[in-house]
Amino acid sequence: MRNMLIVEDHPLVAEATKALFMTMAVGHIEICRNAEEAVALLQARDDWYRLWLDVGLPGTDGLSLVRYVHKLGWAERAAVITASDNLQWRVDVQAMGFLGYVLKTASVEEFSFALKEILEGRPYFDKQPHDRQPTHLTQRQTEILCLLHDGLCTKDIARRLKLSPGTVDNHISALISALRANDRTHAVAIGMKCGYVRQHDTRLMELP
């Protein structure tokens, strides 16, 4: 049975997408309105045939839920449906092995075609990534980026992680370069958009 999980906080979009799938004779279709609900279902069962994820949901920052699904090893079952025509996100989603990045602003014909392609396991990305490269940070760089987000300086980060200040500065320079940022503040802003930095008041922070 081809079970579907639609993660979408806009009721009209969620129901319209579900109605479209109903015409394709799929199996059970579940709709989640936020990241907390989505993660609960992802943890409860693993027989989803396709996962359809929005970005910028309540309880997420940027691609944080997308990266969580990738961490679970389910990228090859999943696609992003979003209103965000963000070239870098498209590149990152494609680099993580997801099946597609579909814009809600597409025509009905194009939207339907994209979903049918992905449903059958054929990748669909409506625009080419040109010269963009996927952003990738190491675990240590991500950890330091989160501490920068919390307002810690080099010395405080070094003390927290038991590293030398010089080593911390090297990591910071590397993550700024990887994110193609201008400085530390810019790197934190980009990191939040890309899902590396999550807000501390969200339940998603507590997930494995």
Side-chain angles (χ1 to χ4, degrees):
M1 182 178 292
R2 301 198 294 183
N3 297 321
M4 304 286 192
L5 177 60
I6 300 173
V7 186
E8 170 61 63
D9 64 329
H10 195 293
L12 289 178
V13 175
E15 292 300 331
T17 305
K18 179 178 180 178
L20 180 58
F21 283 134
M22 294 294 289
T23 68
M24 301 178 187
V26 301
H28 175 69
I29 301 174
E30 190 81 30
I31 296 176
C32 291
R33 306 297 187 189
N34 55 55
E36 183 180 355
E37 291 179 9
V39 170
L41 279 175
L42 291 172
Q43 293 178 337
R45 56 189 298 180
D46 61 0
D47 61 341
W48 301 108
Y49 179 73
R50 290 288 179 267
L51 307 171
W52 308 88
L53 312 174
D54 193 8
V55 293
L57 292 162
T60 67
D61 290 304
L63 297 182
S64 57
L65 181 60
V66 173
R67 294 188 185 281
Y68 178 69
V69 170
H70 175 259
K71 179 182 176 182
L72 292 177
W74 293 351
E76 62 183 13
R77 307 185 201 180
V80 170
I81 301 178
T82 178
S84 300
D85 190 6
N86 186 313
L87 180 57
Q88 186 61 62
W89 285 1
R90 183 184 286 104
V91 172
D92 289 346
V93 168
Q94 189 168 8
M96 284 187 279
F98 281 73
L99 280 171
Y101 191 100
V102 183
L103 294 177
K104 298 176 185 177
T105 54
S107 66
V108 174
E109 293 78 11
E110 182 180 2
F111 189 81
S112 299
F113 175 78
L115 267 56
K116 288 177 182 177
E117 288 291 288
I118 295 169
L119 189 63
E120 298 305 322
R122 293 185 287 270
Y124 181 90
F125 292 85
D126 62 336
K127 293 184 179 179
Q128 296 301 314
H130 303 294
D131 59 347
R132 295 290 183 97
Q133 297 296 319
T135 55
H136 177 71
L137 299 183
T138 65
Q139 183 175 351
R140 178 64 81 186
Q141 289 169 353
T142 301
E143 187 176 17
I144 290 175
L145 183 65
C146 290
L147 293 175
L148 288 174
H149 170 265
D150 290 344
L152 274 67
C153 65
T154 294
K155 186 180 296 184
D156 292 334
I157 294 173
R159 187 180 302 112
R160 177 80 64 87
L161 300 181
K162 295 180 172 54
L163 299 172
S164 71
T167 298
V168 171
D169 281 336
N170 287 339
H171 281 303
I172 292 174
S173 295
L175 69 87
I176 288 175
S177 177
L179 294 173
R180 292 177 288 282
N182 299 325
D183 52 32
R184 297 182 181 201
T185 302
H186 191 206
V188 169
I190 294 174
M192 291 179 68
K193 289 182 179 180
C194 291
Y196 285 110
V197 178
R198 307 187 187 105
Q199 295 177 352
H200 292 281
D201 60 350
T202 64
R203 297 290 296 275
L204 195 60
M205 281 298 296
E206 302 172 5
L207 299 174

